[in-house]
Amino acid sequence: MATETNQETGKLEFILDVPFPSSREATVALRSLSPDREPRRGVISKRLSVSGSTLSVRWSADEARILRVSVNSFLDHLSLVVETMELFGPPVDL
Amino acid sequence: MTVVIGFEGSANKIGIGIIRDGEVLSNPRRTYITPPGQGFMPSDTARHHRAVILTVLKEALEQAGLKPADIDCVAYTKGPGMGAPLVTVALVARTVAQLWGKPLLGVNHCIGHIEMGRLITQADNPTVLYVSGGNTQVIAYLERRYRIFGETIDIAVGNCLDRFARVIKISNDPSPGYNIEQMAKKGSRYVELPYTVKGMDVSFSGILSFIEEAANKMLSSGQCTAEDLCFSLQETVFAMLVEITERAMAHCGSQEVLIVGGVGCNLRLQEMMGVMCKERGAKLFATDERFCIDNGAMIAQAGWEMFRSGYVTELEDSWITQRYRTDEVEVTWRD
């Protein structure tokens, strides 16, 4: 996790890496968390990706307040998805 | 056999139901109840749903006696409703659909009410009055759409009742509407309120403002009781709803009425609608609180119809939407 100001764009950036037991589970989380768009498109962007068994999220925002709200809400959503996987997983073989 | 699990959480109820070919196998539900005088806010409601949804899901599977492998499709409410609670429920639906390797299906909440009403009452082709805390619509089926013949031009009838309950601090347990209904039985004096039918549409915000002001003045001066106000409000708004329903029936040549949505379990509304139906030689269909009030089985039932006619929702298209009109959905499962 890290927050910093991008020297070129002047935007605040936040990067979060979440380890999962396998790439399958990281992908399930990615696809559950991706569909709903940010309510304030334009002033904040969020990009999700999976590499190996790690889910990476990268935010870029104009204001710290909006960034904080988005990160907080993402963490709430992530914890729900992880708990759902723990209780109703593991994923079936495809 | 087709088994569909339905997830609903667009307002203050969170429900998960399982349907197998028209049979309700389970339908557990929890309600977020706020103290008297307070409504439910989106973020608090989402927090409530978040806290109980996985327990409710366990109950739904256990009561149905099913394993995830027995399920054919995972349906959830795509909208309309409050954003934060909708997202909470959609997240779990998307996750289990992937874990279990099942197709996902986004359902329009209003269509869920209509299809559940049709299933339970066996009404064939009714004029539908859909009345709840968030919606007020008169709907009839025509050429592959549930078409809206009349609706509220401002707030929903249930919202008008809920907010009146807050003004005079009526309990929200089990629901403000239920408590108004009980109090109205003891009211005797009719206080005249604005009657606002505008063609096929209705308006409730002016009635609410009027009765809010009247409540403060008339209750403190002893001109009427809280029970009288509950009685007067119900008589007025229900008369308006019966009027536009009757006009839609006349327009469509329909001989059936189906009442759905949370306000639909109000027995006084059912009684008034029954009188109108009797006069026209029409038949009234209504359900009780299990299926009128938001529940998971209604999303499963609409999902069952949709899935059988070929609908599925790809994960990337499974975003929720706060606005989603009843007539946006092509009804491919009816003639």
Side-chain angles (χ1 to χ4, degrees), chain B residues 218-272:
Chain B
M218 296 178 81
L219 291 178
S220 56
S221 65
Q223 280 174 276
C224 70
T225 64
E227 284 78 7
D228 293 335
L229 289 177
C230 291
F231 164 72
S232 307
L233 182 59
Q234 278 201 167
E235 295 301 303
T236 305
V237 298
F238 293 166
M240 290 161 54
L241 295 171
V242 171
E243 180 186 333
I244 61 167
T245 307
E246 180 171 22
R247 200 172 295 127
M249 288 171 78
H251 186 80
C252 302
S254 164
Q255 288 298 310
E256 289 180 344
V257 177
L258 171 64
I259 310 180
V260 298
V263 181
C265 58
N266 187 301
L267 295 177
R268 179 58 185 149
L269 172 61
Q270 293 183 12
E271 185 185 346
M272 289 168 74

Side-chain angles (χ1 to χ4, degrees), chain B residues 117-128:
Chain B
R118 289 182 61 224
L119 171 70
I120 297 294
T121 65
Q122 294 293 307
D124 174 42
N125 184 23
T127 299
V128 181

Side-chain angles (χ1 to χ4, degrees), chain A:
Chain A
M1 273 193 230
T3 307
E4 53 187 48
T5 307
N6 185 312
Q7 296 303 327
E8 283 168 31
T9 59
K11 286 188 181 255
L12 290 166
E13 291 188 344
F14 187 84
I15 297 163
L16 175 70
D17 287 333
V18 190
F20 279 87
S22 68
S23 71
R24 176 79 209 283
E25 274 144 318
T27 306
V28 169
L30 172 92
R31 300 184 76 197
S32 288
L33 291 162
S34 299
D36 296 303
R37 290 178 202 116
E38 285 294 313
R40 297 153 175 264
R41 263 173 285 168
V43 294
I44 185 162
S45 73
K46 180 178 82 198
R47 210 163 274 144
L48 286 82
S49 61
V50 165
S51 152
S53 58
T54 302
L55 171 70
S56 297
V57 194
R58 190 186 196 100
W59 282 265
S60 170
D62 296 327
E63 278 179 57
R65 185 178 56 86
I66 292 169
L67 179 62
R68 191 183 65 233
V69 169
S70 175
V71 172
N72 268 336
S73 122
F74 181 84
L75 291 175
D76 285 344
H77 294 168
L78 175 68
S79 87
L80 177 56
V81 168
V82 168
E83 204 180 318
T84 306
M85 288 172 149
E86 283 166 0
L87 287 172
F88 297 95
V92 295
D93 293 327
L94 288 179

Side-chain angles (χ1 to χ4, degrees), chain A residues 24-25 27-37 76-81 83-92 94, chain B residues 50 53-55 57-58 61 68 84 87-92 94-96 98-101 314-321:
Chain A
R24 176 79 209 283
E25 274 144 318
T27 306
V28 169
L30 172 92
R31 300 184 76 197
S32 288
L33 291 162
S34 299
D36 296 303
R37 290 178 202 116
D76 285 344
H77 294 168
L78 175 68
S79 87
L80 177 56
V81 168
E83 204 180 318
T84 306
M85 288 172 149
E86 283 166 0
L87 287 172
F88 297 95
V92 295
L94 288 179
Chain B
R50 162 72 177 90
I53 185 167
L54 298 177
T55 310
L57 175 52
K58 248 189 198 151
L61 289 166
V87 170
T88 303
V89 173
L91 283 169
V92 175
R94 284 175 202 141
T95 305
V96 296
Q98 292 184 81
L99 291 173
W100 302 341
E314 296 304 325
L315 274 159
E316 44 273 30
D317 301 325
S318 68
W319 35 270
I320 60 94
T321 170

Side-chain angles (χ1 to χ4, degrees), chain B residues 129-149:
Chain B
L129 176 67
Y130 170 28
V131 275
S132 69
N135 291 282
T136 303
Q137 298 179 339
V138 180
I139 302 157
Y141 175 77
L142 195 72
E143 310 240 326
R144 305 214 162 248
R145 300 270 166 184
Y146 283 115
R147 296 180 196 270
I148 301 166
F149 279 73

